[in-house]
Amino acid sequence: MTNDPSRRIVFTGAAGGIGTMTRPLLAKLYPGLVLSDRVKPKDLLPSETFVAADLTKPDEVAALVKGAHSVLHLGGHSVEGTWDHILNANIIGCYNLFEAARAADVKRVIFASSNHAIGFYPRKKKIGTDVTVRPDSRYGVSKAFGEALGALYSDKHGIAVTCLRIGNVGPMPLDVRRLSIWISPEDLVQLFQIGLENPDVRFEIFYGASDNEAGWWDNSRAQRLGYRPTGKSEKFRAHAEAEQAKIGPDPVGDLFQGGAFASAEFTNDVKRAGP
Ligand code: 15L
């Protein structure tokens, strides 16, 4: 599909953090990429195409995906928020996206899920992509919902759906937790490419993580479909530990993969939380 201008690819959430980091890499691979968000990215280049759309408005989403071959769906709220916020941006918005994709006969959707869909797994447990979801927040619940929608639209309507449980994207891991879940923008783009191009994709869940020695996730399915991460968080251990020392302990969050998302609003006994 690379460099095929007849295959329109729509990228929602293009003005967000991950959008900003991956746009330059994607532009080289998919020159006709259609960027979308509620507001135009400040650094939009004359060579880039932008279409504004609000995910909560079904007709705007339908107009956006009309004629698209594939959608990279990163749009929505990217951290914990009020129920009202999560409901609109991530639950209703995600439904509108899949429904518009079905109506427009879109072939592939890559959904930006999150590690917070499984954030209540203990850090000491290594998990695969077949575990029961254990969200650590309303945000995490919305990502589990998006994965379930993806499975529905794959099984019922034949859309090839790839859900990426993204850890934390950036030039380097920000703290000790991120040593286990960090992904470089380049590695994330590799996972986008598998979702956009691999002929074996029907419904997939991959972890969005680089080749991290401290990792908690078994990503063998992604590897079987060609994922060859080059980022290694261990190279940045000194930096991550120095940053961690500034943050200090979080007696609940430090036990669970989701960190502060798990400890926020926590009223349980830690012994009764998580699997
Ligand atoms: C996420 O899902 C968020 O979008 C991102 O902002 C980070 O908080 C990340 O998880 C993380 O867990 O570090």
Side-chain angles (χ1 to χ4, degrees):
M1 180 191 307
T2 308
N3 283 333
D4 182 347
S6 69
R7 297 207 169 185
R8 179 181 158 97
I9 305 173
V10 169
F11 185 6
T12 71
I18 299 180
T20 307
M21 285 185 267
T22 55
R23 261 171 54 214
L25 304 168
L26 286 167
K28 288 188 206 131
L29 295 167
Y30 307 107
L33 189 69
V34 177
L35 307 176
S36 180
D37 213 307
R38 278 184 307 180
V39 288
K40 214 185 248 191
K42 288 193 186 75
D43 55 348
L44 193 77
L45 300 171
S47 57
E48 290 181 306
T49 309
F50 178 79
V51 177
D54 180 340
L55 291 168
T56 65
K57 306 217 163 98
D59 37 344
E60 289 188 18
V61 185
L64 173 68
V65 305
K66 194 162 177 243
H69 179 274
S70 308
V71 179
L72 276 165
H73 180 45
L74 276 76
H77 193 67
S78 67
V79 287
E80 181 60 314
T82 62
W83 171 238
D84 195 44
H85 224 105
I86 296 292
L87 174 65
N88 283 297
N90 291 12
I91 304 261
I92 295 173
C94 193
Y95 177 77
N96 288 343
L97 188 281
F98 273 104
E99 191 42 26
R102 180 200 60 75
D105 199 23
V106 166
K107 306 295 180 210
R108 288 171 180 262
V109 173
I110 291 81
F111 168 61
S113 181
S114 164
N115 71 91
H116 297 291
I118 43 88
F120 260 119
Y121 278 93
R123 294 191 186 189
K124 50 181 189 239
K125 192 172 172 119
K126 185 149 182 164
I127 56 171
T129 49
D130 55 349
V131 294
T132 306
V133 290
R134 299 304 282 248
D136 57 20
S137 50
R138 291 174 290 279
Y139 167 68
V141 168
S142 75
K143 294 302 182 179
F145 171 82
E147 292 182 3
L149 266 185
L152 173 67
Y153 278 79
S154 168
D155 287 330
K156 193 159 277 195
H157 304 296
I159 301 179
V161 176
T162 304
C163 301
L164 303 177
R165 286 184 184 160
I166 302 173
N168 190 249
V169 193
M172 65 181 75
L174 300 170
D175 54 26
V176 166
R177 185 176 79 90
R178 269 62 171 253
L179 285 171
S180 302
I181 69 165
W182 173 72
I183 182 164
S184 70
E186 290 77 10
D187 287 345
L188 184 61
V189 167
Q190 256 198 64
L191 291 173
F192 289 166
Q193 276 185 279
I194 294 171
L196 289 169
E197 299 180 32
N198 190 296
D200 293 333
V201 169
R202 284 170 52 192
F203 175 74
E204 302 290 345
I205 297 177
F206 302 147
Y207 284 105
S210 282
D211 181 18
N212 302 329
E213 231 174 83
W216 298 317
W217 305 324
D218 175 355
N219 220 6
S220 47
R221 175 68 183 158
Q223 282 152 12
R224 276 203 298 286
L225 294 194
Y227 183 45
R228 299 287 176 271
T230 59
K232 290 183 188 301
S233 63
E234 216 50 34
K235 281 199 331 205
F236 305 102
R237 179 167 283 278
H239 165 81
E241 285 179 349
E243 289 303 305
Q244 187 67 43
K246 295 181 199 159
I247 302 167
D250 173 349
V252 174
D254 290 350
L255 297 173
F256 299 106
Q257 299 190 1
F261 283 64
S263 56
E265 303 172 39
F266 187 84
T267 59
N268 197 6
D269 174 343
V270 282
K271 292 196 206 76
R272 295 173 60 86

